[in-house]
Amino acid sequence: MQISMAVNGDEVTREIEPRVLLVHFIRENLGLTGTHWGCDTSNCGTCVVLMDGQPVKSCTVLAAMADGHDIRTVEGLAVGGTLDPVQQGFMEEHGLQCGFCTPGMMLTARALLDRKPHPDDAEIRQAISGQICRCTGYATIVRSVQWAAAHPPGWDTETDAGTDDGGAAGTTAEEVTA
Amino acid sequence: MTTVQEHAPNPAAGDPGRPIGFGRLQRKEDPRFVRGKGNYLDDIVLPGMLHGAILRAPVAHARLVSIDTSEALAHPGVRAVITGKDLQALNLAWAPTLSADVQAVLVTDKVRFQGQEVAFVVAEDRYAARDALELIDVEYDMLPPVIDARHALDADAPVIRDDIEGRTDNRIFDWEIGDAAETEAVFAAADVVLTQEVVYPRVHPAPMETCGAVADFDPIDGRLTLYETTQAPHAHRTLYAIVAGIPEHKIRIVSPDIGGGFGNKVGIYPGYVLAVVGSIVTGKPVKWVEDRSENLMSTSFARDYIMQGEIAATKEGKILAVRTSVLADHGAFNATAQPTKTPAGFFSIFTGSYDLKAAYCKVTGVYTNKAPGGVAYACSFRVTEAVYLVERMVDILARKLEMDPAELRLKNFIKPEQFPYANKTGWVYDSGNYEPAMRLSMHMAGYEDLRREQREKRERGELMGIGVSFFTETVGAGPRKHFDIVGLGMADGAELRVHPTGKAVVRISVQSQGQGHETTFAQIVAEELGIPPESIDVVHGDTDQTPFGLGTYGSRSTPVSGGAVALVARKVRDKARFIAAAMLETRPEDLEWEKGRWFVKGDPSAGKTIAEIAFGAHGTVALPDGIDGNLDAEVTYDPPNLTFPFGAYICVVDVDAGTGHVKVRRFIAVDDCGTRINPMIIEGQVHGGLTDGVGMALMEIIAFDEDGNCLSGSFMDYLIPTAMEVPDWETGFTVTPSPHHPIGAKGIGESATVGSPPAIVNAIVDALAPYGVTHMDMPCTPARVWEAMQGRARPPV
Ligand code: FES
Ligand code: FES
């Protein structure tokens, strides 16, 4: 069957088997391997993408069901080469280790911040509660999302970037009390 | 939020004005990961690549009667179906394990665990390969399985390994250490002797990325390129050379970005070998990636130790001795990754952090009809089991003596002046200073206030528990004279090249699964040479690109490979001194080092930076005799001893008396891993391990029914903590450098996985004290906790 959808703003049309999962469609038909998969039972959330702005587990969506919808993957988070604050936040606050859960976590965080720009820690934990990270223990993910909440898109161009104390790449800072 | 406290001065952070080196630094690997540009195994696509899928046994113990693959072979898109018979013809049906046993690649004679590999399909896409699995017809003749390790040695137990000639029972090994007679004498004379069976259940590392391989065999020059989820690429290459008979120089193992390992990716799995065979048979690259059920049911589990613990003490609370006998369930094949001479790994560190008069342990390993492995989950070479046992026993003693568990520990610690400390089972603890760590954790927790709150709550009938644990690990294996894996000494290499413009590349033999090696190892070179970390590339995970070494597990990257990198940088620095002297027309001994440059003593303005020296070395400077024209070096580091990280953990839980639900309210972790290279990464390692601990203590178990059906074959049944089950971690640290390690670092990767389960279980048992509960086995699920409360004394209300 033929399906069409917008992926990270690009219209794509492909011929597929009806049973193909959205996660396989994204990874294998479109070659966007930033979306991962980690289970067979819709439990892990490494496959999360945004469908019309809502986080969905792309292993639990048939590619055919995404026909006509708007899909955003991790490759579409940065706009015009500028990282999304969520991406920056994960780097600033060590929100990732192996990086496997990270795309899904960041997309859920983006959707949360779009809905609620200043969530509290409990709301962040609730938002990512359908996703597993085996590496970080979650506290740094919460901090990363809070960093993003404190630095909305455009923060570095509109405000004085020199006030950032997060320790940009290539510099060192003393141990921080966060 | 979390407080990070500095207790002792950190020598690594001594000079605030220093430009580069140790300290908090964003990770060099993150920019690709946050953009979705990591390159994990399943992201690899080669031209013409085919896909493999494994048919697995639905039963635990059965003779294989017949396999009919004809329908599968006829399925559209299928290129090959491989069975055990085919492998027998290639002499590949059995492969050696990391413990000098053999493991079936595909079943030839009988199935020995549910999920075992029976046939391998190679097809044009992964859907077709899976479809074809359904079309393979297998006939089994059922045999009674051995599931409970306690019955593995019964006289009438079926012999699982009848493939091994002369085998008449399921015993793999008996191993003992310590002085049995001396220990018995101490126990006989002690005021207090307590015993407790302590079970560490079978759990699974379950990294978010499952295991997989892409094999690409080139029949023309006989060269195999194998992309693998492996924590130990060099060791794998050597083993493949031995198993498959492909000459070692024709094998290239590439371990790309790895989505978490935790020991799961140390071993060689049948799937990897099958991908290689599939590529040889079809002449195309073959990808095999397991699904989650395959991961949980067939690859390396962890733990599965049934421990009879005994502790002897005076009535004043001086611990005199510990003793244990252990039944170790190794599954159907002995495939644990252990140093050859220690079949129970480093379990003999079960003497803990205490100054004892005697200790003795005996471990019996048995075969059962369960998946093989037994390394993994922050593998730790069984330190996890050892620490859990001793920390439970000490708590049981504290209860008996009606002493505070923190006070009891403080009273029995090895004293700082006793280091290096030789324990009763043959370890020499390199350095330690336990009391400050314990006191810092108590201070951070507000220990006295917590105890007061607990008393008040108990009066109201509420169940609050405070759990303490103190651990000492032994990591960084290890000295070649003591430790090898399948004959390979546990050393690691490093190569450093400084390019003419002063940028550098360091090649290491260990492999990152998320630990941040590309950052940490660059920081070590930066600290030693004064080259900024962003100007240093760290190359790892490719046997064609890196020196030989045994890989990343057992917290060995920093203790072993970190030592290699520091030493190789020092070698370059020493060489730079000669070249700088030539450039400055002076003698090497007249030069002094400051980070990044050699200068003339007494004349700081006359000096050469590393970049200038590198250009000089590659340029036209007249070099002194014996100095060749580069700024490169290589070393292989054989550590003189292991390192002994330690820590003090305190856990606060609230238990719902109505449902048995346990909430981990607070967790305070004070770690001492010696010199700290990147505190941000260290904190992350600790957080991850603490979460592992919550998982094991509260929810994780690979369980089986009596027929050997695995009951935990998916994430619906094998529960892993989410953000909802863990608190905001509170971490602190002390710094007691390792005296023998080149930079004093000890390793941190497994500390929290080792130290947190006893703290949590101790807290739960403490919460249930009003019910007279003195011990609970993990996982402390609501059902188990509720059950423990039934029929017991009720709390005073
Ligand atoms: S792959 Fe695990 S939830 Fe989608
Ligand atoms: S960073 Fe490894 S699973 Fe989350």
Side-chain angles (χ1 to χ4, degrees):
Chain A
M1 65 182 292
Q2 199 185 61
I3 57 168
S4 302
M5 65 187 83
V7 178
N8 300 327
D10 294 336
E11 278 302 321
V12 300
T13 300
R14 293 284 191 285
E15 198 63 43
I16 58 156
E17 264 191 87
R19 62 174 171 168
V20 167
L21 301 175
L22 181 59
V23 63
H24 290 151
F25 179 76
I26 291 170
R27 289 179 50 81
E28 285 163 25
N29 297 57
L30 304 182
L32 296 172
T33 55
T35 302
H36 303 141
W37 67 269
C39 72
D40 330 316
T41 48
S42 202
N43 290 95
C44 76
T46 57
C47 60
V48 164
V49 301
L50 300 185
M51 182 150 127
D52 304 328
Q54 291 300 317
V56 295
K57 289 176 170 170
S58 63
C59 70
T60 316
V61 176
L62 292 168
M65 290 160 70
D67 185 34
H69 291 271
D70 187 63
I71 301 293
R72 194 170 174 200
T73 71
V74 62
E75 289 89 348
L77 262 181
V79 178
T82 306
L83 289 185
D84 188 283
V86 169
Q87 293 171 302
Q88 191 66 36
F90 270 70
M91 295 203 294
E92 299 281 350
E93 297 293 348
H94 195 31
L96 69 153
Q97 290 180 27
C98 78
F100 205 74
C101 71
T102 313
M105 291 286 181
M106 292 192 305
L107 288 160
T108 300
R110 179 73 269 148
L112 171 68
L113 294 177
D114 285 347
R115 181 162 53 81
K116 181 135 206 219
H118 296 286
D120 62 26
D121 288 0
E123 288 167 319
I124 295 170
R125 285 180 183 267
Q126 182 74 47
I128 59 170
S129 64
Q131 288 162 261
I132 303 172
C133 175
R134 199 59 159 156
C135 300
T136 64
Y138 304 105
T140 56
I141 294 181
V142 174
R143 290 182 206 163
S144 301
V145 180
Q146 290 294 16
W147 191 98
H151 300 81
W155 66 274
D156 52 343
T157 48
E158 286 159 23
T159 61
D160 178 13
T163 59
D164 170 37
D165 61 356
T171 68
T172 59
E174 287 308 295
E175 185 128 6
V176 292
T177 300
Chain B
M1 287 288 278
T2 303
T3 51
V4 179
Q5 302 194 2
E6 181 155 335
H7 183 80
N10 182 354
D15 171 16
R18 123 204 98 78
I20 40 179
F22 298 159
R24 189 185 202 277
L25 177 69
Q26 266 184 40
R27 298 199 320 167
K28 287 157 62 75
E29 40 273 89
D30 287 353
R32 69 173 183 274
F33 289 138
V34 300
R35 287 173 174 85
K37 298 291 183 202
N39 185 35
Y40 301 91
L41 190 280
D42 199 22
D43 302 343
I44 294 168
V45 177
L46 301 180
M49 187 176 79
L50 304 174
H51 295 261
I54 294 175
L55 180 73
R56 292 180 181 275
V59 294
H61 202 192
R63 283 231 169 261
L64 183 68
V65 179
S66 65
I67 305 186
D68 180 356
T69 60
S70 52
E71 237 188 293
L73 261 171
H75 187 70
V78 170
R79 296 288 190 90
V81 182
I82 297 162
T83 65
K85 258 208 189 89
D86 303 324
L87 292 186
Q88 256 168 342
L90 299 166
N91 201 20
L92 280 175
W94 294 82
T97 70
L98 296 176
S99 285
D101 194 355
V102 289
Q103 170 167 3
V105 177
L106 288 175
V107 172
T108 52
D109 51 346
K110 68 174 185 178
V111 170
R112 291 181 173 82
F113 68 94
Q114 188 191 43
Q116 194 180 340
E117 298 78 3
V118 174
F120 187 62
V121 171
V122 182
E124 279 158 23
D125 69 77
R126 71 173 85 218
Y127 284 61
R130 292 279 165 154
D131 288 343
L133 292 184
E134 313 269 321
L135 303 173
I136 300 174
D137 202 12
V138 188
E139 202 185 321
Y140 298 102
D141 195 359
M142 301 291 285
L143 297 167
V146 180
I147 301 306
D148 184 349
R150 290 182 175 88
H151 294 298
L153 298 177
D154 289 357
D156 60 349
V159 178
I160 297 169
R161 295 301 302 280
D162 49 0
D163 58 293
I164 305 173
E165 231 180 72
R167 191 154 258 298
T168 55
D169 65 12
N170 294 316
R171 186 185 304 270
I172 307 173
F173 63 84
D174 284 305
W175 182 73
E176 59 174 352
I177 195 157
D179 188 326
E182 182 186 48
T183 307
E184 176 52 34
V186 174
F187 266 85
D191 303 335
V192 186
V193 170
L194 296 169
T195 64
Q196 175 66 51
E197 179 180 283
V198 176
V199 177
Y200 213 130
R202 177 175 280 234
V203 293
H204 199 282
M208 296 321 295
E209 178 199 37
T210 61
C211 301
V214 178
D216 186 9
F217 184 75
D218 179 344
I220 296 166
D221 66 1
R223 198 173 160 78
L224 172 68
T225 305
L226 183 59
Y227 304 85
E228 265 192 329
T229 50
T230 175
Q231 302 176 216
H234 289 278
H236 276 208
R237 185 184 60 183
T238 303
L239 283 169
Y240 283 116
I242 294 167
V243 179
I246 302 172
E248 197 168 1
H249 69 294
K250 296 278 192 188
I251 303 176
R252 175 182 174 206
I253 307 286
V254 181
S255 187
D257 287 326
I258 300 290
F262 318 110
N264 194 192
K265 293 165 181 171
V266 175
I268 292 184
Y269 295 120
Y272 301 169
V273 180
L274 290 168
V276 173
V277 175
S279 181
I280 292 173
V281 168
T282 61
K284 301 270 183 199
V286 172
K287 177 188 281 186
W288 166 76
V289 183
E290 65 188 4
D291 64 25
R292 180 56 63 187
S293 298
E294 296 181 278
N295 177 253
L296 289 169
M297 289 173 66
S298 73
T299 59
S300 268
F301 67 93
R303 324 288 183 243
D304 222 343
Y305 261 32
I306 301 169
M307 304 177 275
Q308 309 301 328
E310 295 176 88
I311 190 164
T314 67
K315 53 186 184 307
E316 293 77 30
K318 172 80 190 102
I319 306 171
L320 302 172
V322 289
R323 179 164 61 185
T324 183
S325 77
V326 178
L327 189 59
D329 185 339
H330 281 231
F333 307 101
N334 187 21
T336 66
Q338 309 285 15
T340 305
K341 290 170 198 149
T342 58
F346 299 164
F347 182 77
S348 56
I349 194 82
F350 78 109
T351 56
S353 313
Y354 312 107
D355 186 21
L356 305 180
K357 284 194 179 346
Y360 171 76
C361 84
K362 175 171 179 281
V363 182
T364 298
V366 296
Y367 291 119
T368 60
N369 287 112
K370 300 182 195 166
V375 42
Y377 204 168
C379 43
S380 85
F381 292 135
R382 307 286 187 191
V383 175
T384 318
E385 290 91 323
V387 166
Y388 182 66
L389 175 71
V390 65
E391 288 306 288
R392 274 275 53 236
M393 294 312 295
V394 169
D395 246 47
I396 288 167
L397 177 66
R399 174 77 69 82
K400 178 75 181 176
L401 297 175
E402 296 180 353
M403 284 182 72
D404 180 273
E407 288 305 321
L408 179 61
R409 286 175 170 85
L410 283 163
K411 194 179 166 102
N412 284 284
F413 281 150
I414 301 161
K415 302 277 175 286
E417 59 276 14
Q418 290 177 280
F419 291 92
Y421 176 81
N423 86 336
K424 289 290 176 184
T425 55
W427 299 103
V428 178
Y429 296 19
D430 61 345
S431 64
N433 192 1
Y434 296 163
E435 183 173 338
M438 190 72 239
R439 297 231 180 260
L440 176 60
S441 71
M442 293 168 75
H443 171 75
M444 287 171 64
Y447 192 72
E448 293 310 319
D449 291 344
L450 285 172
R451 287 287 174 204
R452 196 169 314 121
E453 181 191 347
Q454 182 184 39
R455 279 193 294 277
E456 289 164 12
K457 288 210 157 134
R458 277 197 183 153
E459 275 166 25
R460 296 200 298 268
E462 293 172 36
L463 302 177
M464 166 184 169
I466 304 158
V468 175
S469 78
F470 196 98
F471 64 89
T472 299
E473 290 188 282
T474 176
V475 306
R480 296 171 69 223
K481 62 178 185 292
H482 297 309
F483 300 109
D484 69 271
I485 288 185
V486 292
L488 299 169
M490 299 185 75
D492 275 278
E495 289 172 14
L496 177 63
R497 285 185 194 174
V498 185
H499 304 311
T501 57
K503 313 292 180 196
V505 56
V506 61
R507 298 166 192 280
I508 57 175
S509 55
V510 293
Q511 211 286 337
S512 174
Q513 309 110 45
Q515 296 93 333
H517 289 170
E518 291 167 37
T519 309
T520 304
F521 287 93
Q523 286 184 271
I524 296 174
V525 175
E527 181 75 17
E528 296 292 337
L529 283 186
I531 300 172
E534 64 270 24
S535 299
I536 302 162
D537 252 0
V538 177
V539 177
H540 61 115
D542 182 340
T543 55
D544 272 10
Q545 301 282 334
T546 57
F548 190 87
L550 278 216
T552 298
Y553 42 86
S555 299
R556 63 189 301 286
S557 283
T558 298
V560 188
S561 201
V565 168
L567 291 180
V568 82
R570 283 175 200 172
K571 220 168 159 179
V572 161
R573 192 168 72 202
D574 290 344
K575 182 172 182 179
R577 184 182 200 160
F578 285 93
I579 300 166
M583 294 169 82
L584 294 164
E585 295 176 353
T586 180
R587 297 178 310 168
E589 51 272 36
D590 292 335
L591 295 181
E592 208 172 306
W593 173 257
E594 67 176 357
K595 198 176 278 184
R597 69 196 278 271
W598 285 106
F599 66 93
V600 178
K601 279 179 195 160
D603 182 10
S605 66
K608 292 287 175 196
T609 65
I610 279 288
E612 288 165 341
I613 298 166
F615 204 90
H618 288 279
T620 55
V621 172
L623 296 166
D625 281 353
I627 300 289
D628 47 7
N630 61 47
L631 202 49
D632 306 344
E634 57 182 83
V635 301
T636 297
Y637 177 60
D638 176 24
N641 189 6
L642 288 91
T643 58
F644 294 75
F646 57 91
Y649 289 0
I650 296 176
C651 175
V652 183
V653 300
D654 296 305
V655 177
D656 185 322
T659 63
H661 178 262
V662 175
K663 180 172 175 53
V664 178
R665 190 207 309 170
R666 287 181 66 196
F667 202 107
I668 297 92
V670 171
D671 275 279
D672 191 321
C673 59
T675 302
R676 295 157 63 82
I677 300 164
N678 186 327
M680 178 188 84
I681 288 178
I682 291 170
E683 190 196 20
Q685 293 291 300
V686 172
H687 285 191
L690 295 174
T691 308
D692 288 352
V694 170
M696 291 186 286
L698 299 187
M699 59 191 86
E700 294 182 30
I701 182 170
I702 298 283
F704 296 85
D705 70 10
E706 61 205 15
D707 297 324
N709 293 306
C710 179
L711 304 176
S712 317
S714 81
F715 279 164
M716 306 242 252
D717 308 295
Y718 191 77
L719 304 182
I720 288 175
T722 72
M724 304 302 281
E725 284 86 34
V726 295
D728 198 0
W729 311 109
E730 302 170 56
T731 58
F733 63 90
T734 60
V735 177
T736 311
S738 167
H740 66 266
H741 188 274
I743 56 172
K746 288 187 169 185
I748 189 69
E750 297 160 322
S751 293
T753 311
V754 164
S756 57
I760 299 164
V761 174
N762 287 348
I764 295 167
V765 172
D766 185 48
L768 300 182
Y771 290 87
V773 175
T774 55
H775 178 72
M776 270 204 74
D777 278 327
M778 299 186 286
C780 302
T781 59
R784 280 195 183 177
V785 172
W786 187 83
E787 209 171 289
M789 289 188 276
Q790 305 312 304
R792 304 234 193 198
R794 297 164 69 88
V797 176

